[in-house]
Amino acid sequence: MATMLKYEDKDLKVVGTRPIRPDGVDKVTGRARYGADINLPGQLYGRVVRSPHAHARVLAIRTDKAEALKGVKAVVTRDDFPEMPVEFAAAGELIVNFRDVTRNMMAREKVLYDGHPVAAVAATSDAVARRAARLIEVDYEVLPHVIDPVQAMAEDAPLLHEEQITEGVDPAPEKPSNLAKVFNFAKGDVEKGFAEADLVIEREFNTKPVHQGYIEPQASLASYTEDGQVEVYTATQGHFVIRAQCAKLLQMDISKIRVIPTELGGGFGGKNNVYLEPLAIVLSRKSNRPVKMTMSREDVFRSTGPTSGAHTRIKIGCRKDGRITAAEAQLDFQAGAFAGSSVPMASMCTFTRYDLENVKVTGNDITVNRPKVAAYRAPGAPISIFGVESILDEMAIELGIDPIELRMRNAAKEGTQTYYGPTFGPIGYEDTLKKALEHPHLKEPLGPDQGRGIATGFWFNIGKETTTTLNVNEDGTVTVILGTIDVAGGSRAAMAMMVAEELGIDVDRVRPQIGDTQALGFNFVTAGSRGTFASGMAVTVAARKAIDTMRERAARTWDVPVDGVVWEDGHARPASSNVGEFEPLSIAEIARKSGMTGGPIAGHAEITAEGAGPGFGTHIVDVEVDRKTGLVKILRYTVIQDTGKAIHPAYVEGQFQGGAVQGIGWALNEEYIYDENGTLQNPGFLDYRVPVASDVPFIGTEIVEVPNPNHPYGVRGIGEVPIIPPIAAISNAIHDAIGIRLREQPMSPPKVLKAIREAGNGAAE
Amino acid sequence: MRYEAPGSLDAATRLLADAEGAARVLAGGTDLLIQMRGDIVEPELLVDIKNIDEMREIAEEQGRFRIGAAVTGMEIMEHEAFNAAWPGIVDGAKLIGSIQIRGRATLGGNLCNASPAADSVPALIAAGAVASVIGPDGRRSAPVEEIATGPGQTSLKTGEIVVSFDLPERPPRSGDAYLRFTPRTEMDIAVVGVGVNLTLDGSGVCSAARVSLGAVAERPLSVEEAAAALVGTRVDDDALAKLSKAASEACRPIDDKRGTKEFRIEVAGVLAERAARIALERAEQR
Amino acid sequence: MARYHITTTINGDEVDFLCESDQTLLSVLRDELVMTGTKEGCGTGDCGACSVTVDGRLMCSCLVLGVEVEGKRVETIEGMAEGEELHPLQRKFLEHAALQCGICTPGLLIASRALLERNPDPTETEIRYWLAGNLCRCTGYHKIVEAVADAAREMREV
């Protein structure tokens, strides 16, 4: 049975304030220990040997020279890992297939991308490990490769998986292809809808793969013991899922693997997957020593999941009054080397901001020779809505309707049935649009070659399995053990605040801590903006159980029925004077005597959280375009988003600002650049250009609060929505500035200048 | 690998001359250490030249500056008299990497690394800077534009070190400027770089000019045709249009991850004009 | 291979260590001295997570060799607080929520301190350009810039 606690509108003392985050001091003093900061006595250093080819058959791997090198303690290749049958499992927002997971972690018959692991070594120093890695000889038969998703679907395209028959089409094709799966979503009759339209616009859009760009490279340390147990320290968004995958891949019992999550230096969806962990475990098993493995930045770019590059075709019809009559989309998404891109989510997000009768979305999941896609903050949604929000901007201009007003006329609201199934409860989309209409940003004057754009975004948000233990300590302070990783956004702070609110105590008397896999039951990965929602529900359940216990203890102390005791402001009090005259008992007093009243006091929650509230946001951006160089400068940016409830508003603003700036980078400069051999040309932060501080302005934020009825504090998820609108909003702003519509991401200077030249108005300055 | 940090030019040249395997000069290390990390270079001897006083100084004598090759970008930015005399060279130094990189990266290293996109080089070429080189055969001088010959390639002979840069006397009413194009505001490599240096006579006519382009050929170029477009003019719109055209025509770029040929050619002309306007304004103020 | 014996000052303490000639200062700090507060984000000077000062000069410790700091003065994040008193920048980063994952925070704090030592009253633009060598992927920089400006304000008043 799923757990759903209803929203209660009540006066709040802690929730909604801005206390210092509990993990803060460790982070400003250098004490916080991230993946690469952990060391164990006697540890070895591991290195991965990677494919230099985009696509090749692995004919032979010779490790003897490496093994002969002094200091080398273990070498692993495909022969050290069992073959896996096809078996699917959820790992964050994407589904994984163990047949593919094992091949992605260590290539078997073929290498499928530049950077694909083919071997790994462990040695007494990093320098020796590096030398050993260079001594491993691999014979490749280089094959033709394909990276572009449209080219990959061509009849004669190089084929990645000889056995891959497209799923989701009836009848199933006879020949294998790179089209792994087709997803279809439909509602109403689009043909009829287009026939009713006064204006129909159909356009194509292209986007490049972009990387999550977390600053901390992946790092793992495994220590395998002689009795077949293993401890793994790793930087991950979900230690229980890492444990489950390692157990499956290495055919071990789950109970024998203890995964200890380190502080996480950013993930954004990219640290939901195993990369180094199984390699480190097997190297440790073979060497009988702890093995530490860290990726270089180049390894991160070459082998961990960037998001999909994509081609989309969007068609929208509307009446003269701006009401949309039909909407259709085809989304061609790179899955990378193995099936399983974010195209299903992207498909479901494409038009979901709007209340539509006739919708058809087809999502194609396409295997190509680049690293397997990993989730990236609202996986796929920024790509699929780019075209939709661009076309709506065109329609608004064509029809002479304000772009925000146009969206208002079509806005999804409570009662709107989505084209993938669910009907919305209370949502805040219209509220964000109204707030945008009234925002002073819209009144800021624009100069020559400056323009303003708006775009909106939607994300589902999720709940899922969550556990927590809340211990009331002997002095009345509280320790909360959490199983859902704080991926950076401050969920430990938010959990402490909700617990403090429930118990009626100061927030600094609550100490939250992430527990390892042996301390708690299973938690899903921190993905889908579930952390504050699901973990918040769990800590509320746990706190209420602890309160019930403390009421019982007070009742026992006073010798009254438990119904006669209420919990208020951190104290047990008699419910009324009828119960008797008793001095209220504080949490500290009850805790101090707990040994005599029945034992230590704790509250637990082991729940599947349901009822996550969908999130919506509206962004406004001003840009200036240098017509002679194509450079686009962001002048002003405003994020307006429904949070349900902002537990810690400063970190809600931080999510808005961080997501928007990631989106700005995505829009303007970030892209994977491959050469003709399929080799990644920019695997570093110099040429993979994430925004620097001087590239962006202050990011204005407006928090809208339409409570989620299915959470005790009204929480929705908030982390993902902010990255969705920027690409489209910036494209719309560029059009407003110079009258040119860019339908390709990134809107980098060479592309913008080329578009200006092609439009022929470059000279007309 | 052996590491040495000699205190004199003599000792440094001797170390390099006597080296049996591959030897490298270490100045700021902001390129060399990355190449070593990537196993692109594997020297057996590293000669750190930062303890050699002559290479670390900014000296001024009768209006002529001499800058040690191991002077860092930050040191140049912080030198007031040099900023007043050669703001264009400072423009270039200011754009190398980040504050962290400029705290280490040196003018000599930026030149000898021989990247076509080196930010400090076009302004030095436009300034008419002359490199003082020491080696097994003694000292020699060479115009800065003759040092880099191609990506990672220089005209320096084995064992030679660039010691310093000599800048000519600065006539009144002179100004220089360096502009580059990058997608990001900072932390980036020039897609195009342009250095312009000009002098006006008493009546406001350009009496001398030098123009240099970076990142548009296998090495930074001194473009005489572009300079000629300015000399004898009041650096008016007409002259600037000719400068812009000449700059674009001098480009022989490649397509790479940082930019296309067409983009580089076009933007070289745009930046040449913009840099010349800044140089002109600076000349008029002096 | 003989290792080099280097004597230096780190956060005011005399320290000596052995290192390989090609070992970076970052590796010396993290691997030899177990001062893991200085982070590696790229190893190529492009992210600023490993920022330290050497003789007061801000640099990326991944682009400095251990052998180069002989006789020099190195400052790292571990030396930023004085006793139990956080540096105003550390305090303001906390108050302004100017950190999320925190992996870039030590580098940003060291870089910000180097800025305020030179320029006690920086403009927003000066702060942004000075910190352009320090990538942060979580915050969008907004609250970092506010925190640095606020710390500067407080430090000027003292």
Side-chain angles (χ1 to χ4, degrees):
Chain A
M1 254 277 293
T3 300
M4 210 187 266
L5 290 184
K6 289 296 172 190
Y7 173 66
E8 295 162 37
D9 189 6
K10 58 184 180 190
D11 288 339
L12 299 170
K13 292 198 174 76
V14 183
V15 167
T17 64
R18 300 176 178 232
I20 301 296
R21 62 189 294 156
D23 48 318
V25 170
D26 280 356
K27 287 177 174 175
V28 298
T29 54
R31 283 188 180 84
R33 287 185 302 160
Y34 297 82
D37 298 339
I38 314 290
N39 295 292
L40 287 175
Q43 73 188 16
L44 302 174
Y45 297 81
R47 280 269 169 182
V48 176
V49 181
R50 297 180 185 279
S51 165
H53 304 295
H55 193 191
R57 221 171 286 287
V58 180
L59 304 177
I61 304 171
R62 284 182 297 282
T63 60
D64 45 330
K65 283 184 194 157
E67 282 167 284
L69 188 68
K70 203 172 161 206
V72 172
K73 300 293 180 186
V75 178
V76 294
T77 66
R78 56 193 177 185
D79 299 336
D80 294 281
F81 300 93
E83 174 66 285
M84 289 275 127
V86 170
E87 184 181 342
F88 293 94
E93 287 159 312
L94 308 183
I95 303 293
V96 299
N97 175 351
F98 282 105
R99 181 198 168 277
D100 296 341
V101 174
T102 193
R103 280 170 172 72
N104 193 34
M105 162 195 91
M106 183 64 77
R108 296 184 80 83
E109 2 354 67
K110 293 207 290 187
V111 288
L112 295 164
Y113 54 92
D114 165 34
H116 199 159
V118 287
V121 300
T124 48
S125 76
D126 186 48
V128 174
R130 282 176 58 172
R131 274 199 294 281
R134 284 154 65 187
L135 292 173
I136 289 179
E137 298 165 330
V138 185
D139 293 341
Y140 294 103
E141 177 196 343
V142 178
L143 301 169
H145 73 281
V146 63
I147 291 172
D148 179 84
V150 176
Q151 288 171 12
M153 284 198 292
E155 186 80 3
D156 57 348
L159 187 63
L160 274 77
H161 302 284
E162 286 80 5
E163 74 296 348
Q164 181 171 281
I165 300 290
T166 308
E167 286 183 63
V169 287
D170 191 27
E174 285 174 9
K175 278 174 57 185
S177 77
N178 293 319
L179 178 56
K181 190 167 182 177
V182 178
F183 296 86
N184 288 299
F185 298 91
K187 177 187 173 187
D189 180 347
V190 286
E191 295 311 317
K192 181 170 145 281
F194 284 120
E196 289 167 4
D198 298 313
L199 173 64
V200 176
I201 298 181
E202 181 174 8
R203 305 281 183 222
E204 288 182 54
F205 300 83
N206 286 291
T207 67
K208 290 282 173 58
V210 298
H211 197 272
Q212 295 82 354
Y214 36 79
I215 308 298
E216 179 203 29
Q218 270 80 354
S220 305
L221 169 57
S223 180
Y224 193 95
T225 54
E226 287 71 7
D227 58 352
Q229 320 274 330
V230 67
E231 269 184 11
V232 182
Y233 293 82
T234 194
T236 176
Q237 292 174 234
H239 46 318
F240 292 92
V241 168
I242 297 295
R243 179 180 68 168
Q245 293 195 2
C246 288
K248 178 72 78 178
L249 294 168
L250 305 176
Q251 298 177 335
M252 292 176 69
D253 291 345
I254 281 179
S255 65
K256 289 186 174 152
I257 304 175
R258 178 184 180 197
V259 180
I260 303 151
T262 66
E263 196 61 58
L264 183 71
F268 313 108
K271 289 181 184 160
N272 289 335
N273 306 301
V274 294
Y275 292 107
L276 298 175
E277 294 88 349
L279 308 184
I281 292 172
V282 177
L283 284 169
S284 175
R285 192 181 69 205
K286 286 182 89 167
S287 63
N288 298 302
R289 301 266 290 267
V291 174
K292 177 172 178 171
M293 301 186 83
T294 54
M295 284 199 191
S296 67
R297 179 54 52 183
E298 185 181 338
D299 291 341
V300 172
F301 276 113
R302 286 173 70 206
S303 68
T304 69
T307 188
S308 302
H311 163 265
T312 67
R313 181 193 297 274
I314 313 283
K315 182 178 176 185
I316 303 176
C318 71
R319 289 200 303 260
K320 284 201 184 81
D321 63 1
R323 187 76 186 109
I324 297 169
T325 57
E328 190 174 349
Q330 181 187 322
L331 312 175
D332 302 328
F333 270 46
Q334 291 174 334
F338 301 98
S341 74
S342 59
V343 78
M345 274 94 71
S347 301
M348 290 186 267
C349 285
T350 309
F351 298 112
T352 313
R353 297 162 309 291
Y354 305 109
D355 184 1
L356 306 178
E357 281 182 21
N358 306 303
V359 185
K360 187 178 169 202
V361 181
T362 305
N364 292 324
D365 187 40
I366 304 157
T367 46
V368 300
N369 295 110
R370 40 142 284 186
K372 165 77 172 71
V373 160
Y376 179 22
R377 208 170 190 161
I383 302 169
S384 69
I385 73 104
F386 173 24
V388 175
E389 297 292 298
S390 173
I391 289 177
L392 287 188
D393 201 58
E394 267 193 81
M395 288 181 149
I397 293 167
E398 181 93 15
L399 299 171
I401 302 172
D402 176 86
I404 299 173
E405 175 60 31
L406 180 75
R407 287 168 174 84
M408 294 277 271
R409 288 183 194 177
N410 291 288
K413 48 183 84 63
E414 186 168 3
T416 295
Q417 201 209 345
T418 62
Y419 56 87
Y420 60 89
T423 298
F424 285 136
I427 54 172
Y429 183 46
E430 285 184 299
D431 305 68
T432 68
L433 289 166
K434 276 184 206 145
K435 200 127 195 164
L437 268 180
E438 296 157 6
H439 201 280
H441 184 156
L442 292 186
K443 299 199 176 64
E444 175 128 350
L446 291 168
D449 298 334
Q450 296 182 349
R452 179 165 297 144
I454 79 130
T456 66
F458 151 80
W459 191 251
F460 321 85
N461 304 325
I462 58 170
K464 307 205 72 152
E465 301 95 318
T466 315
T467 64
T468 198
T469 288
L470 183 155
N471 291 314
V472 178
N473 302 319
E474 311 88 277
D475 60 355
T477 61
V478 172
T479 309
V480 186
I481 315 294
L482 303 164
T484 291
I485 302 277
D486 183 349
V487 294
S491 72
R492 274 165 292 190
M495 296 312 117
M497 291 169 74
M498 284 184 267
V499 167
E501 192 76 61
E502 288 290 327
L503 295 177
I505 58 176
D506 285 348
V507 69
D508 69 356
R509 294 175 68 79
V510 182
R511 194 71 198 165
Q513 191 189 313
I514 308 295
D516 67 51
T517 54
Q518 311 305 74
L520 289 169
F522 182 85
N523 279 256
F524 197 61
V525 299
T526 303
S529 299
R530 62 176 284 274
T532 304
F533 169 76
S535 217
M537 196 180 294
V539 299
T540 304
V541 168
R544 290 178 184 179
K545 285 186 183 164
I547 287 171
D548 287 345
T549 303
M550 290 190 285
R551 285 173 51 232
E552 281 168 22
R553 301 300 173 84
R556 203 168 294 167
T557 306
W558 295 333
D559 197 17
V560 300
V562 69
D563 293 350
V565 181
V566 293
W567 190 263
E568 271 174 19
D569 292 333
H571 290 76
R573 298 172 195 274
S576 69
S577 52
N578 297 340
V579 176
E581 290 292 323
F582 299 104
E583 275 299 303
L585 284 172
S586 72
I587 187 169
E589 288 164 322
I590 294 169
R592 199 179 310 124
K593 293 186 181 149
S594 63
M596 291 173 286
T597 57
I601 298 162
H604 296 267
E606 287 82 22
I607 64 170
T608 292
E610 288 217 339
F616 292 86
T618 297
H619 290 199
I620 313 170
V621 60
D622 295 352
V623 304
E624 180 174 284
V625 183
D626 182 339
R627 283 179 185 266
K628 291 192 161 181
T629 63
L631 187 76
V632 176
K633 185 180 176 194
I634 306 295
L635 302 172
R636 182 168 179 178
Y637 205 106
T638 303
V639 178
I640 305 163
Q641 188 180 318
D642 177 20
T643 64
K645 175 69 193 173
I647 302 296
H648 192 309
Y651 286 102
V652 171
E653 292 160 6
Q655 288 295 307
F656 291 6
Q657 291 158 344
V661 169
Q662 280 188 320
I664 289 169
W666 194 337
L668 294 181
N669 285 311
E670 293 182 33
E671 63 176 316
Y672 264 42
I673 303 169
Y674 285 98
D675 72 4
E676 66 275 13
N677 299 318
T679 308
L680 184 61
Q681 293 296 287
N682 58 336
F685 278 136
L686 189 58
D687 287 302
Y688 183 89
R689 298 183 177 96
V690 310
V692 301
S694 48
D695 289 338
V696 289
F698 283 124
I699 306 294
T701 51
E702 292 284 344
I703 297 173
V704 172
E705 292 186 326
V706 176
N708 173 9
N710 300 317
H711 188 275
Y713 291 94
V715 167
R716 297 174 189 277
I718 56 148
E720 288 168 294
V721 175
I723 202 174
I724 301 172
I727 308 172
I730 289 169
S731 171
N732 292 345
I734 292 172
H735 178 268
D736 191 44
I738 59 168
I740 292 169
R741 211 166 271 289
L742 286 146
R743 299 192 179 91
E744 258 188 54
Q745 166 283 331
M747 294 168 262
S748 56
K751 283 201 195 126
V752 175
L753 190 63
K754 190 159 174 263
I756 290 172
R757 290 292 158 266
E758 282 167 3
N761 53 2
E765 200 178 341
Chain B
M1 185 185 75
R2 190 171 138 219
Y3 168 84
E4 296 287 348
S8 72
L9 281 174
D10 257 10
T13 47
R14 224 173 313 120
L15 278 165
L16 289 169
D18 296 345
E20 285 179 8
R24 282 282 176 145
V25 173
L26 172 66
T30 54
D31 290 306
L32 181 61
L33 264 59
I34 295 170
Q35 291 161 6
M36 284 164 54
R37 178 188 169 99
D39 298 324
I40 297 163
V41 296
E42 295 172 78
E44 285 168 38
L45 169 67
L46 213 53
V47 180
D48 184 345
I49 44 79
K50 289 190 293 293
N51 289 345
I52 303 170
D53 290 344
E54 190 183 344
M55 298 189 68
R56 298 279 304 121
E57 291 167 357
I58 302 179
E60 186 187 3
E61 224 173 288
Q62 293 166 340
R64 289 167 178 268
F65 279 92
R66 167 174 281 211
I67 314 172
V71 171
T72 66
M74 287 303 279
E75 288 162 348
I76 289 167
M77 286 164 64
E78 288 163 0
H79 195 285
E80 282 183 28
F82 190 78
N83 270 262
W86 294 102
I89 295 177
V90 178
D91 289 341
K94 253 185 202 168
L95 287 168
I96 300 172
S98 58
I99 302 286
Q100 285 87 336
I101 301 295
R102 298 199 274 282
R104 286 274 288 171
T106 65
L107 286 195
N110 200 218
L111 177 64
C112 296
N113 183 54
S115 160
D119 274 314
S120 68
V121 178
L124 281 174
I125 292 175
V130 174
S132 174
V133 179
I134 197 164
D137 305 331
R139 280 233 186 199
R140 69 181 177 98
S141 291
V144 166
E145 57 267 38
E146 289 177 10
I147 301 292
T149 54
Q153 304 293 317
T154 68
S155 58
L156 296 175
K157 293 193 271 293
T158 306
E160 281 192 327
I161 309 172
V162 173
V163 180
S164 59
F165 300 99
D166 286 299
L167 290 158
E169 202 179 326
R170 203 73 176 122
R173 293 169 68 74
S174 296
D176 68 334
Y178 173 76
L179 283 180
R180 68 163 186 191
F181 184 84
T182 56
R184 287 193 294 198
T185 48
E186 284 274 295
M187 273 315 295
D188 220 328
I189 301 290
V191 182
V192 178
V194 184
V196 176
N197 176 29
L198 54 83
T199 300
L200 304 175
D201 67 14
S203 63
V205 171
C206 177
S207 57
R210 285 174 63 86
V211 176
S212 174
L213 297 177
V216 297
E218 72 290 349
R219 60 185 172 85
L221 303 174
S222 174
V223 185
E224 286 173 21
E225 299 78 4
L230 298 178
V231 176
T233 75
R234 293 185 169 276
V235 195
D236 49 18
D237 288 353
D238 195 35
L240 289 170
K242 284 184 184 139
L243 162 75
S244 176
K245 187 160 177 286
S248 286
E249 282 172 1
C251 297
R252 42 175 196 263
I254 53 165
D255 283 329
D256 69 6
K257 61 191 170 188
R258 292 177 185 141
T260 59
K261 280 184 210 170
E262 301 73 43
F263 182 79
R264 287 190 157 109
I265 290 170
E266 182 161 354
V267 173
V270 173
L271 291 196
E273 181 189 328
R274 289 179 182 177
R277 284 187 196 279
I278 297 168
L280 175 68
E281 199 185 312
R282 286 173 177 169
E284 285 168 349
Q285 282 164 2
R286 286 185 82 243
Chain C
M1 192 175 4
R3 305 222 296 169
Y4 287 73
H5 179 218
I6 304 298
T7 304
T8 188
T9 304
I10 301 181
N11 300 327
D13 296 331
E14 189 173 298
V15 172
D16 71 328
F17 58 83
L18 294 174
C19 71
E20 305 288 344
S21 57
D22 63 354
Q23 198 171 355
T24 63
L25 175 58
L26 174 62
S27 168
V28 166
L29 290 171
R30 292 181 55 82
D31 303 330
E32 307 297 329
L33 304 173
V34 201
M35 296 176 71
T36 54
T38 304
K39 305 301 178 188
E40 176 170 328
C42 70
T44 49
D46 301 318
C47 80
C50 67
S51 295
V52 298
T53 60
V54 178
D55 283 352
R57 188 66 83 182
L58 181 66
M59 36 191 83
C60 289
S61 58
C62 72
L63 293 183
V64 178
L65 294 176
V67 289
E68 289 183 84
V69 300
E70 171 69 40
K72 302 219 186 296
R73 198 163 40 81
V74 178
E75 300 279 343
T76 73
I77 187 65
E78 286 91 346
M80 194 154 175
E82 286 196 31
E84 62 180 23
E85 190 81 14
L86 293 180
H87 187 279
L89 278 161
Q90 292 173 308
R91 203 157 25 77
K92 290 297 176 189
F93 267 54
L94 292 174
E95 288 172 12
H96 284 265
L99 57 105
Q100 290 180 29
C101 86
I103 194 90
C104 70
T105 307
L108 272 156
L109 285 166
I110 291 290
S112 300
R113 184 177 65 180
L115 168 65
L116 299 189
E117 279 167 4
R118 281 161 186 74
N119 182 354
D121 190 10
T123 63
E124 181 205 337
T125 304
E126 285 169 341
I127 294 170
R128 287 187 182 277
Y129 275 81
W130 184 277
L131 297 181
N134 293 83
L135 297 182
C136 169
R137 193 62 158 169
C138 293
T139 65
Y141 304 107
H142 181 114
K143 291 181 188 296
I144 293 171
V145 176
E146 284 182 337
V148 174
D150 194 22
R153 201 173 304 131
E154 185 186 290
M155 288 164 74
R156 285 197 306 276
E157 280 164 9
V158 175

